[in-house]
Amino acid sequence: MNAAPAQAYAAAISGADYGEAYLEETVWTSACLEDGRVQDVAAGSDRGLGLRLLRKTGSRVETFFGSDPDMRPESAERLRAGLLPPGRKRVVHFSSHVLKSVTPRIDPTCVPLERKVTLLRALDRMVRREFPSVRQVSLTYGDRSRSTRVLNTDGADARQSLTTVLLSVSVVAEEKGRLQSGQESLGALRGYELMEGAEPFNAARRAAARALAKLRAPKAGAGEMPVVIAAAAGGTFIHEAMGHSLEVDAVQEGSSPAYRGAIGKVVAPKSVTLMDDPTLPFQRGSFFFDDEGLPAGPTTLVDHGVLKGFLYDRTCAMREGLDSNGHGRRES
């Protein structure tokens, strides 16, 4: 990660209502095995600088953005010159210099790609050996090590390094001419140690067992009945049913009309409390800072059925004259 002094970027991010320099370095690998054959193997790295300046006029927020693979302060100043005419300058003092990271026990970037493919082959053989009814096995492995740095006109110099590893298993089983599938994933904010030992094999067994259980399950009767949902599945359901709709850009754009103007109103049963918490340790979606340099923290969205708030990034918060609650996210 670029180690240039924070103050070297100050001129590039000044002159707007909000400015930031975002630096990122990412290294990743992926491999896919289907029916015992390697279908896709890839590895790569990305690095670059994004310079963003926001200017507010009434309720309208203009965004000026440029990017460059050169992360030096001089590159940021060149981008600044082409984005926004010279305006009022304000001195930026970086009062917050923070570096946080999750250090993997086994850095996946140091593990040969051949070893990762060998694991997929071993999982494929194990599933077919232990579950003769299995007809198809698809396995996907991926890892990513990502280091970011955000310098902004709030005075933050926020750096973090995160490593994630993911294994996805999909199995198709057949009995008496009937087919059913089972899926399982294993992922965390950890290093390749997650792929060592028995856990990948246990995940593959769970996928195969799920396909067989569906083949042998009795048909569900018609009508209403109680359903017991596993905790992870319940989290996924409420994420899709309400989570995306509570991203405030969707509310502001009108694609989430049910929640517009609904703060303080009942939007769910009293038994429902919904919270977004990126501080949960080792979860794939967790982080120390959002991609705009704000510290992570829990946000209560629904409290006992009552809508309390939305997920904000800086642009959407600025439109409403509010502060972001730390949910700015970049693709890269």
Side-chain angles (χ1 to χ4, degrees):
M1 178 54 60
N2 187 293
Q7 207 61 41
Y9 293 91
I13 63 177
S14 66
D17 294 309
Y18 169 79
E20 70 187 10
Y22 173 84
L23 295 75
E24 178 183 328
E25 292 183 350
T26 300
V27 180
W28 55 270
T29 61
S30 65
C32 179
L33 190 83
E34 189 164 335
D35 288 335
R37 297 186 299 273
V38 177
Q39 298 293 328
D40 184 43
V41 175
S45 63
D46 299 294
R47 70 191 306 269
L49 159 74
L51 186 72
R52 187 172 64 136
L53 306 170
L54 303 181
R55 186 170 64 184
K56 184 178 181 182
T57 305
S59 61
R60 182 186 178 199
V61 178
E62 293 180 285
T63 299
F64 301 85
F65 178 81
S67 64
D68 198 302
D70 184 351
M71 297 192 294
R72 293 177 300 171
E74 306 91 278
S75 177
E77 290 191 33
R78 286 195 303 271
L79 287 173
R80 170 64 180 80
L83 288 178
L84 191 63
R88 59 183 176 85
K89 296 285 185 179
R90 56 172 167 154
V91 179
V92 181
H93 295 290
F94 295 95
S95 57
S96 173
H97 304 267
V98 183
L99 170 61
K100 292 190 175 184
S101 63
V102 174
T103 303
R105 187 162 53 82
I106 301 176
D107 186 348
T109 64
C110 299
V111 177
L113 192 55
E114 293 81 1
R115 181 174 163 189
K116 299 168 184 176
V117 173
T118 298
L119 170 64
L120 299 184
R121 293 188 187 280
L123 293 170
D124 179 86
R125 290 194 299 268
M126 181 276 295
V127 169
R128 295 178 185 279
R129 181 178 65 252
E130 295 186 10
F131 299 87
S133 298
V134 165
R135 299 292 176 263
Q136 181 178 333
V137 181
S138 299
L139 299 133
T140 302
Y141 167 87
D143 60 56
R144 184 175 76 157
S145 295
R146 178 174 177 250
S147 296
T148 61
R149 183 181 184 185
V150 182
L151 305 108
N152 62 36
T153 48
D154 290 345
D157 180 3
R159 312 183 201 191
Q160 68 180 343
S161 294
L162 303 175
T163 297
T164 55
V165 171
L166 175 66
L167 172 70
S168 177
V169 184
S170 179
V171 170
V172 176
E174 179 185 15
E175 283 187 354
K176 299 177 181 179
R178 296 173 59 240
L179 299 174
Q180 284 288 359
S181 62
Q183 289 82 33
E184 183 71 17
S185 61
L186 176 65
L189 202 63
R190 293 184 183 274
Y192 196 77
E193 63 269 14
L194 189 65
M195 297 294 117
E196 299 281 85
E199 191 51 39
F201 294 90
N202 291 337
R205 289 186 180 99
R206 289 194 295 271
R210 189 166 291 128
L212 291 175
K214 290 162 69 176
L215 278 171
R216 298 164 184 174
K219 290 186 178 180
E224 295 184 4
M225 62 187 69
V227 176
V228 178
I229 302 175
T236 301
F237 282 158
I238 202 164
H239 165 87
E240 299 297 344
M242 298 186 73
H244 287 300
S245 300
L246 295 176
E247 295 168 0
V248 78
D249 54 343
V251 178
Q252 291 177 350
E253 293 163 4
S255 58
S256 182
Y259 299 115
R260 189 162 194 161
I263 296 292
K265 296 181 179 179
V266 175
V267 296
K270 286 186 178 181
S271 58
V272 173
T273 293
L274 176 59
M275 179 179 290
D276 182 277
D277 187 0
T279 67
L280 296 174
F282 303 113
Q283 299 302 303
R284 286 180 57 227
S286 295
F287 50 84
F288 298 110
F289 305 99
D290 78 344
D291 287 335
E292 296 175 317
L294 287 170
T299 301
T300 300
L301 301 169
V302 177
D303 185 14
H304 293 88
V306 177
L307 182 63
K308 294 295 185 179
F310 301 113
L311 301 175
Y312 281 90
D313 63 3
R314 289 184 186 269
T315 305
C316 294
M318 191 179 287
R319 290 188 189 123
E320 299 182 15
L322 302 174
D323 294 326
S324 171
N325 55 12
H327 291 91
R329 182 176 180 181
R330 283 175 161 89
E331 180 67 21
S332 69

